[in-house]
Amino acid sequence: MGPVNNNQQSLSRRMRIFLLLATIFITGITIVLLLKKQPEITHDALKQEIQSLQNQLPIRVDAYTELMNVEAGEMEIIYSFVVEDDPTQESGISVKDDDFAQQVQSAVKNSACINKNTRRYINSNVSLSYRYMNNDNAMLAEFVISAGYCNK
């Protein structure tokens, strides 16, 4: 019974990682669909794009994650997500995992340069900040993808 349970956990973990990657992809697509493309990203243009997106919030990006807020800093986009834990613990990645923050950061950074929408911001000297909180607003993960990251 033990190996089957481990296989099921491994499969669930892969499914949760897939959902996190899908979240990143959907967020990028959402930005493109909701925002007017700018030939050059300036601070003012960035603020306008973010204001347009804020009107659509909150956005459910998967079964466990909701984009609650997007802010424009000085050449920075700050995404704030709320992550609900799977009460059945079948998801593989749980907000209760000690390495949840590391897993989320790794998944987001690995896909940032692949996704043309996030890559566009990063290559235009815009940093992307990610905040993942639970329902009680406790910080689960917080990290920044610095401007120019994809050029490294």
Side-chain angles (χ1 to χ4, degrees):
M1 209 65 188
V4 172
N5 191 20
N6 286 338
N7 287 339
Q8 288 173 339
Q9 287 177 347
S10 176
L11 179 61
S12 294
R13 181 173 293 269
R14 284 181 285 187
M15 290 177 69
R16 184 60 180 212
I17 290 171
F18 172 77
L19 287 174
L20 287 171
L21 292 174
T23 298
I24 296 160
F25 179 75
I26 290 170
T27 300
I29 296 266
T30 301
I31 289 171
V32 166
L33 293 175
L34 297 175
L35 305 176
K36 184 170 78 175
K37 286 198 172 195
Q38 301 287 334
E40 180 182 327
I41 298 177
T42 64
H43 178 64
D44 289 337
L46 187 63
K47 283 174 52 176
Q48 287 178 341
E49 290 182 8
I50 298 307
Q51 286 174 347
S52 177
L53 181 59
Q54 286 173 335
N55 294 330
Q56 305 298 318
L57 298 175
I59 299 171
R60 172 80 50 191
V61 292
D62 67 25
Y64 306 101
T65 311
E66 194 165 23
L67 178 61
M68 298 300 292
N69 193 30
V70 179
E71 302 172 54
E74 187 67 35
M75 296 308 286
E76 176 183 31
I77 301 174
I78 305 161
Y79 298 101
S80 296
F81 296 90
V82 171
V83 181
E84 301 170 6
D85 199 24
D86 179 5
T88 64
Q89 298 299 311
E90 295 176 6
S91 62
I93 298 176
S94 170
V95 295
K96 295 179 179 125
D97 288 346
D98 291 338
D99 62 345
F100 175 81
Q102 181 181 353
Q103 291 180 50
V104 170
Q105 182 175 347
S106 177
V108 172
K109 284 188 170 186
N110 286 339
S111 69
C113 298
I114 296 169
N115 182 298
K116 70 178 184 177
N117 304 312
T118 55
R119 186 177 63 236
R120 174 181 165 252
Y121 287 116
I122 293 167
N123 289 342
S124 296
N125 292 319
V126 176
S127 296
L128 305 178
S129 295
Y130 293 85
R131 298 175 181 159
Y132 290 83
M133 295 161 284
N134 68 11
N135 286 329
D136 297 326
N137 287 325
M139 190 65 66
L140 300 172
E142 184 174 29
F143 56 92
V144 175
I145 300 176
S146 59
Y149 174 79
C150 296
N151 296 329
K152 294 179 182 178

